[in-house]
Amino acid sequence: MVEHDDPVEHNHIEHQASVEHSAGIEHQASVEHSAGIEHPNHPSALNMTDPFHSPAQHRPGQEHTMEPQFDDDVQDPSFTDVPSSVTPEEPATRGRRTFTKSHKLDNVLYDVRGPVVNEAARMEAAGMHVMKLNIGNPAPFGFRTPDEVVYDMAQQLTDTEGYSASKGLFSARKAIMQYAQLKNLPNVGVEDIYTGNGVSELINLSMSALLDNGDEVLLPAPDYPLWTACVTLAGGRPVHYVCDEQSEWYPDIDDMRAKITDRTKAIVIINPNNPTGALYPKEVLEQIVEVAREHQLMIFSDEIYDRLVMDGLEHTSIASLAPDLFCVTYSGLSKSHMIAGYRIGWMILSGNKAIAKDYIEGLDMLTNMRICSNVPAQSIVQTALGGHQSVNDYLVPGGRIYEQREYIYEALNSIDGITAVKPKAAFYIFPKIDVRKFNIHDDEQFALDLLHDEKLLIVQGTGFNWKDPDHFRVVYLPRVEVLKGAVDKMTRFFSHYRQ
């Protein structure tokens, strides 16, 4: 006798099969859509059978040198977050309420990932190959995290599943404190160290804790645009002092002093500088300290590139020159240890903390509110800051960053109508364009034209709060062979371009 299936169970099985079938179709469609963003037959698509793109395989006993496992001329195999402007918009429904962005964003820009980058994403989504020199992200150019750092994180993963203290793990903060002592930062204890999800988070937190509406902060021009954005979003007013291209891009002290008002609260410096690659000597830093001392200002010093210095020069932390002032110093591992994706940075409070007691309470409040920073990433700080600093091998003659700097400096200056100051640190160069020769009056349009004509992506100078449309930033992380291709594209473009 054949038994009939229970009707309830039968319906349940049919429903489950239907759900699984629908989910399978949706999943397949999702995968196919994602794959469609990067044309599968295009050279920029990642070919997993290509030995140059295969994951690195560690051989027992083999010493790790952070050398690239592949060599590519793009910032990433694809844009991992395609902007909404690249995807089709849904039709607006008549009579339905719409939502606009906050007016706090009206004067905020971040063109490092802005409209020109969105256009590049659209082009890649259409199957075009774009050479990207717009973001200082070491990993896609073949720079690898030291094996010891990866190993230590893996070993500690099960111990880092919960929250840490708001400021961070004791081991990480202790290692950062000892690093601060080596840099001669005065009056620093473990409780003066705050870890963050990269320096970017800490900059935002610092400005939010400090500024009331209308308070002013002195910022360099050109600057890393996040600084200006965070001041603006916190209700403050960014006031830009000029960095002088004729003087190695050092801050113009007279211009800095002339822009101080009774609303000015702080001076920001970025040293080594992004986007210019300048390294400020001690004499210039002492002049900035004197200005801050004269007007009783705080000093914020972004030093994320402090371990990427060339030509036998040394980096000086401005806080080491100002024990009587209150200083906040920022650094991290994203650039020096080629682990930008781990998101681990820190800030150090130093000097005269008594005059900033209330501000520090504000910092603590915001730090507590965000719970803590990435705990697995904190767990490798002690390892990363101790022992041999493998990045140093890249910064001497024969090393990758040094040789790439040498090449791009000479090559850009060989293009008719382009001049550039030689960077001393980091991995950026900020060349000047002869705007009369090329009739350039809109540098975003120039960047778009270069992108459309040569499939080459750079960031225009005004994206760094530089007032004139006569500069652009180049990231020289790619190998020399790749940079040669980029320079060929620029040479061809500038040979005929007129805006």
Side-chain angles (χ1 to χ4, degrees):
M1 178 177 177
V2 178
E3 295 183 5
H4 293 285
D5 294 332
D6 176 60
V8 175
E9 183 178 342
H10 181 69
N11 290 341
H12 172 72
I13 292 171
E14 284 187 345
H15 173 70
Q16 182 177 359
S18 174
V19 170
E20 289 176 353
H21 177 68
S22 300
I25 293 173
E26 288 181 8
H27 175 69
Q28 183 178 357
S30 174
V31 171
E32 289 175 354
H33 174 71
S34 300
I37 292 176
E38 181 76 32
H39 195 287
N41 296 321
H42 201 274
S44 63
L46 194 62
N47 181 358
M48 296 310 293
T49 62
D50 184 349
F52 291 103
H53 291 81
S54 299
Q57 302 205 355
H58 181 70
R59 297 180 179 85
Q62 183 183 35
E63 185 176 347
H64 185 79
T65 59
M66 290 170 57
E67 280 300 307
Q69 304 304 319
F70 63 86
D71 202 14
D72 208 343
D73 58 353
V74 294
Q75 183 70 29
D76 209 330
S78 66
F79 287 89
T80 54
D81 49 350
V82 178
S84 58
S85 58
V86 175
T87 57
E89 294 183 9
E90 293 189 13
T93 305
R94 177 177 292 181
R96 178 164 296 185
R97 178 184 179 186
T98 59
F99 298 90
T100 59
K101 68 178 182 291
S102 166
H103 288 296
K104 293 177 183 177
L105 293 168
D106 288 349
N107 297 311
V108 170
L109 61 82
Y110 191 74
D111 284 350
V112 175
R113 298 192 182 205
V116 181
V117 178
N118 291 349
E119 174 62 8
R122 185 201 65 77
M123 290 167 62
E124 282 213 334
M128 303 179 202
H129 177 79
V130 176
M131 184 184 292
K132 307 189 198 76
L133 303 179
N134 64 310
I135 297 181
N137 185 14
F141 294 112
F143 292 94
R144 290 289 172 258
T145 309
D147 283 346
E148 186 181 8
V149 170
V150 177
Y151 175 83
D152 276 21
M153 178 183 278
Q155 294 302 305
Q156 297 179 83
L157 274 179
T158 54
D159 298 325
T160 57
E161 293 173 346
Y163 297 135
S164 71
S166 295
K167 292 181 182 179
L169 294 171
F170 178 82
S171 62
R173 288 186 290 143
K174 182 76 175 202
I176 296 165
M177 184 195 78
Q178 292 169 338
Y179 180 72
Q181 291 172 344
L182 293 175
K183 300 283 288 186
N184 298 313
L185 271 61
N187 194 23
V188 175
V190 171
E191 291 307 310
D192 301 315
I193 311 294
Y194 298 68
T195 62
N197 297 302
V199 167
S200 299
E201 180 192 40
L202 296 171
I203 292 171
N204 189 20
L205 187 151
S206 301
M207 296 300 102
S208 296
L210 177 67
L211 300 175
D212 288 319
N213 290 343
D215 287 345
E216 296 177 357
V217 177
L218 287 173
L219 299 160
D223 75 341
Y224 180 58
L226 179 79
W227 275 103
T228 297
C230 288
V231 169
T232 302
L233 289 172
R237 178 173 175 261
V239 178
H240 293 95
Y241 60 85
V242 174
C243 295
D244 186 2
E245 187 170 15
Q246 302 305 313
S247 299
E248 300 286 334
W249 284 115
Y250 298 157
D252 183 327
I253 305 300
D254 290 338
D255 187 59
M256 180 185 289
R257 182 177 278 109
K259 289 176 176 173
I260 296 172
T261 72
D262 57 0
R263 298 302 303 268
T264 307
K265 279 199 165 181
I267 297 173
V268 171
I269 69 167
I270 303 172
N271 177 41
N273 187 264
N274 174 11
T276 66
L279 178 70
Y280 302 162
K282 185 177 179 180
E283 299 74 32
V284 170
L285 297 174
E286 287 173 336
Q287 293 178 64
I288 296 172
V289 168
E290 191 53 44
V291 171
R293 185 175 287 135
E294 179 184 341
H295 294 277
Q296 301 183 55
L297 304 176
M298 292 171 55
I299 296 177
F300 293 99
S301 185
D302 184 345
E303 301 180 359
I304 189 68
Y305 300 97
D306 67 338
R307 295 179 294 287
L308 291 170
V309 174
M310 291 172 275
D311 303 327
L313 300 172
E314 289 188 10
H315 175 267
T316 300
S317 287
I318 192 169
S320 68
L321 308 174
D324 56 319
L325 303 180
F326 179 68
C327 299
V328 184
T329 303
Y330 305 83
S331 193
L333 301 181
S334 293
K335 314 299 183 179
S336 63
H337 288 72
M338 313 300 173
I339 50 177
Y342 285 22
R343 307 311 298 134
I344 178 62
W346 57 78
M347 64 181 180
I348 305 168
L349 313 186
S350 67
N352 188 354
K353 289 172 285 188
I355 62 175
K357 183 179 178 181
D358 195 57
Y359 172 61
I360 294 171
E361 287 181 6
L363 288 178
D364 290 343
M365 183 183 300
L366 293 179
T367 301
N368 291 335
M369 286 169 61
R370 59 95 207 240
I371 309 294
C372 66
S373 65
N374 181 338
V375 184
Q378 292 180 48
S379 73
I380 54 102
V381 171
Q382 188 174 32
T383 297
L385 288 181
H388 174 65
Q389 301 297 295
S390 52
V391 72
N392 292 338
D393 300 334
Y394 293 116
L395 303 171
V396 294
R400 266 196 66 179
I401 293 176
Y402 179 92
E403 295 300 333
Q404 289 158 197
R405 188 274 306 259
E406 292 293 289
Y407 171 76
I408 199 68
Y409 168 70
E410 296 292 342
L412 286 171
N413 279 290
S414 70
I415 299 174
D416 188 24
I418 304 296
T419 56
V421 176
K422 192 171 191 177
K424 302 292 193 301
F427 33 66
Y428 309 108
I429 190 167
F430 200 58
K432 184 175 184 178
I433 312 167
D434 184 339
V435 291
R436 290 186 178 181
K437 177 178 175 61
F438 303 111
N439 194 37
I440 293 175
H441 49 83
D442 181 340
D443 62 350
E444 183 176 301
Q445 186 59 54
F446 147 70
L448 283 167
D449 292 339
L450 178 61
L451 175 64
H452 289 147
D453 288 6
E454 296 293 341
K455 313 298 186 293
L456 181 63
L457 177 61
I458 50 85
V459 183
Q460 70 276 12
T462 54
F464 300 96
N465 292 293
W466 184 250
K467 60 183 177 60
D468 297 317
D470 60 355
H471 283 79
F472 62 99
R473 188 187 73 170
V474 172
V475 175
Y476 58 83
L477 280 169
R479 286 191 173 278
V480 169
E481 313 85 82
V482 178
L483 291 174
K484 285 181 179 178
V487 171
D488 287 345
K489 288 173 180 286
M490 289 186 214
T491 303
R492 183 166 55 242
F493 177 81
F494 283 117
S495 69
H496 64 80
Y497 182 67
R498 299 295 181 274
Q499 197 171 83

